[in-house]
Amino acid sequence: MTLQDAAPGTPSSDGDWLRVHPASPFVRGWVALAAVGYFFGRETFERMLQGRDLIDPNLNGRAPLLLFGGIALLLLTVAGFILSWYFTRYQVAGGYVRVNTGFLFRQQRQARLDRVQAIDIVQPLLARIFGLAELKFEVADASESAVRLAYLRLDDAKQLRATILARASGAVTGPDIAPAPEAPEYPVLSVPPQRLVGSLILSEQSVFILLGAVASVVLSTLTENRAFFLYLIPAALGLAATYWSSFNKGYNFTAAISPDGIRLRYGLLDTQAQTLPPNRIQALRVVQPPLWRMFGWYRMQVNVAGYGLVGNGAEAGSRTTLLPVGSKSDVMRMLSLVLPDPGTDQPERVFTAGLDGLDSDGGFVTTPRRARFLAPLGWRRNGFAATGTALLLRSGRWWHQLVVVPHQRTQSMALEQGPLARLFRVADLVLHTTAGPVSPRLIQADEQEALQLFDAQAARAREARKRQTSEQWLAQVAPTPVVEPVETEPVETPDLDKLDHQTYPKQEDRHHG
Amino acid sequence: MRTEAIDPPGIEWRRVSPKYVTVRLVEWALGNLLTVGVLSVPLILVQLGWWRWPPLWLAISVPAAMLVLALWRLVLIPRQVRAIGYAERDDDLLIRRGIFFQRTMVVPYGRMQYVDVSVGPVERGLGLCTLKLHTASAGTNAQLPGLPAAEGARLREQLSARGEARLAGL
C-alpha cells in the first residue's frame, strides 16, 4: 500500500492500516437516515391521524417521481457512508497514530503517542446496542481537536487503548506490534445514584428555579393572568433536559486507578470511559456550593490540555469533571491520585484548610486585614499556600473553592493590580493554564507577599520542570541509570507492577492511615 | 521610569521604541475620530433642521463626552507606551504594561511553544514590529509591541534558542 510510506523515517513493518467497523457510518449517520424517514413519514402520519387518504390526491401523478427521488437519496446516503468507511483508516506505528479520512477532501491526522493527554472510550446508546465504541484521544501538539476513531468493536477499542497507553508511557517500545496487556486497575470510589440526584436537587440551578417559580406564581396572581403559565412550558422542558443530561452523564460514576492513569467511567445511556495518564492534569479545583455544605459534598473539575477546547458545553462539562459529587474523603482520595506526592507532611490538614478553612490555618496566607473592604466576606478565605509540589489557591466564603496547580504545570504567570487594589496595597496573581473550567487566580494578596510568591513560584516551576524530563511518564516515575532504560528492559509488566505497588497503596495509607 | 509596586526588584526594564507612540496615535485616530464623527451626524442633522428627535443638548453631549474620553486616551498614550517594558532573565522573560491597571507577566522560556513576529502597515513604515509569545495556555497574552525590527528579530532568535534549550512538555 502506498499510503504506508506517507510518513518518512518510520519503519513500515509495524502497524498495518486498519479500518474501523463497517457499521460505523450507519451508527454515526443514523440521524441523517432518521431525518429522511421523518420527512417522508410525517406527512403520511399526519394524514392518517386526520383520517384522510394516505397519499395526497394532488400528488397522485407525481408519486413515482417522489418515490424515485426518495430511493435515490437513500442510495446516495448509503453510498456516501460506504465511501467514508472505505477511506477511513488508522495505523499505530513508530510512536505515532495516524488516521486518514475523507475521499473528496483527504485528511491525515497524525499524533505523537508520547503527547497523548487523555484517552476516552465513548459509547453512545446506539453504538452500545451494537457493541461498538468510539476511541477519542487528546494530543498536545497544537492540533485543535481530538483524534477520533469511530467506531471499533469495544474489545478492539480497549485493546487499542492499552496499546496506545503502553507506548505512550514508554512501557513498550520497539517495532513489534504485540498487543499490550490491559493494565490492571483498582476501583477507588463510586458515586451512588441517590447522592447524584440529591446533588442535582440541591444545585444552584434548583434554587433559581424555585425563585423563578415563586416569582411567576406571584406575578400571575397579581396580574390574574393564567395564560402566563403557557410561556413557562418551554422553559420547563429545557430545564428538564438539563437535569436529565446531568443525570445521564453523572450516573454510575466510578473512578479507578491503574498504572495507565486515572480511569473515570460514567453514563446511563451513553457511557464513557476516560483515562487520564498521570501528570496530565494541568489544574484542578474543588468547589462547594452553599447548599451542598449540609451534606459535606464537593465537586472536582480539572483542566486537561485539549478537553477545554471542545465546543459542546455539556460534553466539555462532563469530560472535565473529575468527581461530580463526593464527600470529603472522596475528594482527598482523588487528590491523592492526582497529586501522589502532596509535598507536605500534613496533607490532610492543609487540604482541609483549603476546602473549608478560614484565616491562617493550614499555613494559608490570606488577604491582609486592611483590604477587608475590598472583600468584606471573602478576605478571611482568599489566600494561598504552597507545598513542595503544588500551589493551593483558596477563595469564596459562600461558594468554597480550592484550586490546585502542580508546580511543573505552571505555564506563565502575571501579577495584576488596578487602581483600587493599589490603594489598599494588594495585588492579584494569575496563573495561566490550558483552557478549561479552572482559571487559577489568587485574589487580593498583600503586595509584598504576591511579589514574593511570583518570584518563588517561577523558581519552583523551573525546578519542577527540570525534574520532569520525559514525556513518557514511566521513565519519569522509575528512572534507571541505564542510558535507554525502556529499551533494555523486558517488554513485560514488572515495571507496571512495581509502579502500582509503589504509588497506589502508599496513597491509600496517606489519607486513611 | 520608576519601579512600580508589583515589579520584581532589581530588574533592568528594557523599553520599547518611542516611535511606537506614532503607531498608537494612528490607531487612536482611526478608532476614536471615526466614532466621534459618526456620533456627530445627528448633531449636524439637527442643526440643519432635518431631524427633530434628538434634542440639541443630547446631540451635543454624546459626541462631546466621547471626544473628552478620546482625548483622555490620547493623553495617556505616551505614558502607556513608556510603561511597556520587558526583561530577559536567565530562565524567563518578564513583560510589564499598564499605568492604572498594571500587569507584570513572567513567561518561562521552556514553556514557549512558538514565537510570532508580525508587522502592520504603520509599523513597517516606522521599522517596528510586534512580538507575540504563545504557550499552551490561551491566557498567556504575551505581546511586545513597538520593538525595532532588528531587536524583534534578535529577540525572536534568542527566545527560540533558549526555548529549545529548556523545552519542556506541557
Side-chain angles (χ1 to χ4, degrees), chain B residues 47-143:
Chain B
Q47 282 292 347
L48 288 175
W50 292 4
W51 276 16
R52 285 200 176 172
W53 174 66
L56 193 60
W57 62 268
L58 193 69
I60 293 177
S61 60
V62 169
M66 203 62 208
L67 192 67
V68 169
L69 249 160
L71 287 176
W72 172 242
R73 282 202 207 111
L74 177 68
V75 172
L76 284 184
I77 286 178
R79 287 181 59 200
Q80 277 175 341
V81 169
R82 277 201 302 275
I84 302 173
Y86 62 97
E88 292 164 80
R89 297 201 293 190
D90 287 344
D91 291 287
D92 41 36
L93 181 76
L94 284 172
I95 301 177
R96 80 167 315 288
R97 68 150 197 240
I99 329 166
F100 286 110
F101 294 91
Q102 301 182 349
R103 185 170 90 150
T104 303
M105 174 145 119
V106 56
V107 188
Y109 297 133
R111 285 301 187 207
M112 282 176 208
Q113 306 240 324
Y114 55 102
V115 183
D116 265 354
V117 175
S118 61
V119 184
V122 185
E123 285 178 310
R124 189 175 306 133
L126 295 165
L128 299 179
C129 65
T130 298
L131 190 85
K132 208 170 171 188
L133 308 175
H134 297 265
T135 68
S137 164
T140 310
N141 182 18
Q143 276 199 40

Side-chain angles (χ1 to χ4, degrees), chain A residues 205-219 228-229 232:
Chain A
Q205 197 185 341
S206 309
V207 177
F208 287 120
I209 291 170
L210 212 65
L211 289 178
V214 170
S216 45
V217 167
V218 169
L219 268 177
F228 185 66
F229 284 107
L232 291 177

Side-chain angles (χ1 to χ4, degrees), chain A residues 52-322:
Chain A
R52 285 189 277 162
D53 291 345
L54 278 189
I55 294 171
D56 192 337
N58 298 337
L59 282 181
N60 264 341
R62 281 175 288 169
L65 207 67
L66 269 180
L67 201 67
F68 181 72
I71 289 172
L73 195 63
L74 204 67
L75 279 180
L76 268 177
T77 318
V78 171
F81 283 174
I82 290 170
L83 277 174
S84 92
W85 168 77
Y86 183 78
F87 284 100
T88 302
R89 274 178 301 203
Y90 68 95
Q91 178 202 36
V92 184
Y96 287 90
V97 180
R98 297 189 188 81
V99 181
N100 287 343
T101 49
F103 76 102
L104 275 184
F105 300 95
R106 295 253 179 121
Q107 189 192 18
Q108 181 174 45
R109 300 259 333 240
Q110 99 175 11
R112 257 175 72 174
L113 285 179
D114 62 354
R115 289 295 175 98
V116 169
Q117 301 289 311
I119 184 161
D120 298 2
I121 289 183
V122 190
Q123 283 188 287
L125 184 59
L126 202 64
R128 226 173 125 194
I129 292 170
F130 289 110
L132 299 177
E134 177 185 356
L135 197 73
K136 188 155 79 171
F137 46 98
E138 302 289 345
V139 183
D141 52 2
S143 54
E144 63 293 330
S145 61
V147 181
R148 287 157 181 267
L149 277 176
Y151 290 91
L152 308 172
R153 260 199 299 277
L154 183 59
D155 291 341
D156 292 348
K158 279 185 179 162
Q159 183 58 58
L160 192 58
R161 175 179 69 182
T163 308
I164 289 174
L165 282 168
R167 283 170 178 256
S169 70
V172 179
T173 51
D176 69 306
I177 188 75
E182 271 221 68
E185 56 176 75
Y186 308 92
V188 176
L189 59 87
S190 60
V191 178
Q194 55 270 38
R195 194 199 289 161
L196 180 69
V197 171
S199 77
L200 287 176
I201 291 172
L202 290 179
S203 63
E204 294 100 320
Q205 197 185 341
S206 309
V207 177
F208 287 120
I209 291 170
L210 212 65
L211 289 178
V214 170
S216 45
V217 167
V218 169
L219 268 177
S220 72
T221 46
L222 282 183
T223 57
E224 293 188 356
N225 183 358
R226 293 287 142 76
F228 185 66
F229 284 107
L230 284 180
Y231 297 108
L232 291 177
I233 291 173
L237 283 179
L239 285 172
T242 354
Y243 275 113
W244 164 248
S245 126
S246 304
F247 181 72
N248 186 15
K249 291 280 182 199
Y251 185 80
N252 204 7
F253 185 95
T254 57
I257 182 75
S258 82
D260 285 345
I262 303 171
R263 290 260 163 86
L264 307 175
R265 289 205 173 77
Y266 50 86
L268 180 62
L269 295 184
D270 311 344
T271 59
Q272 186 152 350
Q274 281 173 247
T275 305
L276 294 174
N279 291 330
R280 289 301 200 255
I281 288 170
Q282 306 279 329
L284 168 153
R285 76 168 179 176
V286 189
V287 285
Q288 183 179 51
L291 280 176
W292 285 17
R293 205 157 310 147
M294 303 191 264
F295 296 98
W297 287 339
Y298 300 89
R299 182 192 301 134
M300 292 175 88
Q301 288 167 306
V302 288
N303 281 3
V304 171
Y307 271 12
L309 300 173
V310 182
N312 182 341
E315 193 190 347
S318 66
R319 289 176 83 199
T320 52
T321 303
L322 192 61

